[in-house]
Amino acid sequence: MAVCGIHVTSVETAQPSVRVESYRSLCSTLLVLVVRLFSYSLLCGLEGAPMGSARSAQHTETPVTPRREVWLAAWPVTAVFILSNTATPLYVLWQKELGFSSGMLTVVFACYIVGLIAALLVAGVVSDRVGRKPVLLPALALGVVASVLFATAGSIVALAIARLLSGVAVGSIVSAGMAAVTDVAGPDRKRLAALLASTAMVLGAGLGPLLAGILSETLPGPTVTVFLVEIALLALAVLAVLRMPLRRPAAAPGPGAWVRPGAWVRVPSVPRANRVHLLLGIVVFAPGITSTSFVLSLGPSLLADLLGTTSRVVAGATAFVMFTAATAVQFAVRRLRVGAILTAGAASTALAMASLALAVQLSSTPLLALAAVLAGAGQGMGQLGGLTLISAHVPAARLAEANAALNVGGYVPAGLLPVAVGYLSDAVGLSRGTTVFSAVVAAAALAGGAVVLANRRTTP
């Protein structure tokens, strides 16, 4: 068996069908718990005026955008992030059909990171200069093209191109889409905007593999049907973008929003005064998203090893539980201080890595499920805290670039560390490689938490 290009010796499991059913029951229980938490938190948020938005509106003459328009503005983020992980449960089918190696599969995954980072280098600057819609609409179009390529893929090259284009679409949406949610929400509801943009991202990331797993096992065309559904979702996202009440950027940005002339492609950054806000987000978000990326890539193969099943529904359900936890926890903690959110995110990621290491060492599926939930919560809180700091402090004329900078800081380690642990595990074995990876990410998370605590005055 291969895990991220790692060949793993199968573990003998007794009564695999019973263990599969037990794991499904455990996932269902966890899902019910996080959905109840989400529903309760959402209900509480809809009662009154969360995060001071209504109260602030009473003291301003600026027209307030209806809340439904703010929620609708987050839909393009969800639609594109559904695409980001939709292919994950289907690669085993393409491997059998096209006959490519695990090494080539690693290349396909890498194409996504290449496309995403490339988009982050330019999309934020372009969005801040020419507007959100000129970036969002082409990104959604690329998502449609990627979906068509996935649905009709007859070669590894087609899969690589599709993955590359989906990475570009995601990178563009991360920059411009999340900034668009903040723009639509207005200056009095920045925390609400950060919450919706962040949860839209992780909810989409979880829905993708779940849809792919269910549709590929219940309907004809296992590698086609889900992408036809995705094209329809992207079409709805186009309609949402077209109706967004967005204005073009001012020709001359104000003080603190200065943009270097001609520097359209560059490593995204923020004004000097906001660098500490960006840093505090990255030091927690980066370990969080690295942990979910590793669980996402390791999960299906590890489940097959532990449970003796290759069910794409089970694999998709694991990812969905993880990202549902990431969604629910953000609504649960939204009223806390940003510093408390970031600190809790760092602790959750560290605990997730401890659970993951124990899951591999003890061949424990409950610990794997716990690791998935904690990793999702860690990413969710790190992402929410980082986006909240950015939206609250970075000038609007640099907001998309700031979002890009946060995600570059997160996705670079999320792309590099799992590959590194793959090569390490080839040399020392999966258990040791995973243990080393878990220790590194846990240490990074704890260090990030310490940085946040040392800068308590910067995190209101």
Side-chain angles (χ1 to χ4, degrees), residues 89-455:
L90 306 179
Y91 284 119
V92 63
L93 298 178
W94 282 314
Q95 274 189 293
K96 291 179 180 179
E97 180 181 343
L98 303 178
F100 55 86
S101 66
S102 297
M104 288 304 299
L105 180 58
T106 303
V107 173
V108 173
F109 273 102
C111 287
Y112 171 79
I113 298 296
V114 170
L116 188 147
I117 298 297
L120 291 174
L121 295 179
V122 64
V125 176
V126 173
S127 174
D128 286 335
R129 290 188 181 184
V130 305
R132 313 304 184 204
K133 291 184 180 181
V135 175
L136 292 175
L137 292 174
L140 294 172
L142 285 178
V144 171
V145 174
S147 298
V148 172
L149 287 174
F150 275 127
T152 60
S155 67
I156 186 67
V157 174
L159 287 177
I161 295 174
R163 197 67 176 147
L164 177 72
L165 293 180
S166 63
V168 174
V170 169
S172 301
I173 288 293
V174 159
S175 303
M178 292 184 167
V181 177
T182 301
D183 292 346
V184 172
D188 295 318
R189 294 188 293 194
K190 288 184 177 181
R191 290 199 68 172
L192 173 64
L195 174 66
L196 293 182
S198 183
T199 55
M201 173 180 167
V202 292
L203 182 61
L207 283 173
L210 181 66
L211 285 174
I214 293 175
L215 296 180
S216 67
E217 292 196 358
T218 57
L219 295 178
T223 60
V224 176
T225 305
V226 68
F227 293 107
L228 297 180
V229 173
E230 173 61 14
I231 290 172
L233 298 179
L234 290 170
L236 293 176
V238 170
L239 296 178
V241 171
L242 291 175
R243 64 169 290 165
M244 284 184 186
L246 296 173
R247 297 179 180 178
R248 292 182 63 86
W258 178 78
V259 180
R260 289 172 286 171
W264 290 88
V265 180
R266 65 171 186 264
V267 176
S269 62
V270 294
R272 183 181 298 274
N274 302 123
R275 289 177 183 174
V276 65
H277 305 120
L278 176 63
L279 174 65
L280 292 175
I282 289 177
V283 296
V284 178
F285 174 55
I289 195 172
T290 301
S291 68
T292 56
S293 296
F294 191 69
V295 171
L296 192 65
S297 58
L298 179 69
S301 295
L302 186 58
L303 285 172
D305 198 45
L306 297 178
L307 301 180
T309 178
T310 56
S311 170
R312 295 182 294 278
V313 174
V314 172
T318 301
F320 184 67
V321 168
M322 179 169 67
F323 288 112
T324 302
T327 304
V329 74
Q330 293 183 62
F331 279 89
V333 304
R334 71 194 185 284
R335 294 183 185 276
L336 299 179
R337 293 176 56 254
V338 177
I341 294 173
L342 290 172
T343 303
S348 183
T349 299
L351 290 173
M353 291 299 93
S355 299
L356 179 61
L358 288 173
V360 174
Q361 295 289 340
L362 303 177
S363 298
S364 170
T365 50
L367 284 174
L368 176 62
L370 178 62
V373 171
L374 290 172
Q379 178 188 335
M381 287 186 281
Q383 186 173 292
L384 175 61
L387 287 174
T388 301
L389 285 175
I390 286 173
S391 63
H393 298 284
V394 175
R398 296 286 296 275
L399 187 56
E401 186 180 0
N403 288 336
L406 176 67
N407 283 277
V408 166
Y411 276 104
V412 167
L416 293 180
L417 282 182
V419 173
V421 79
Y423 285 107
L424 176 63
S425 297
D426 281 337
V428 302
L430 175 65
S431 294
R432 290 184 180 178
T434 301
T435 301
V436 171
F437 171 85
S438 301
V440 170
V441 176
L446 292 175
V451 171
V452 172
L453 290 174
N455 291 269

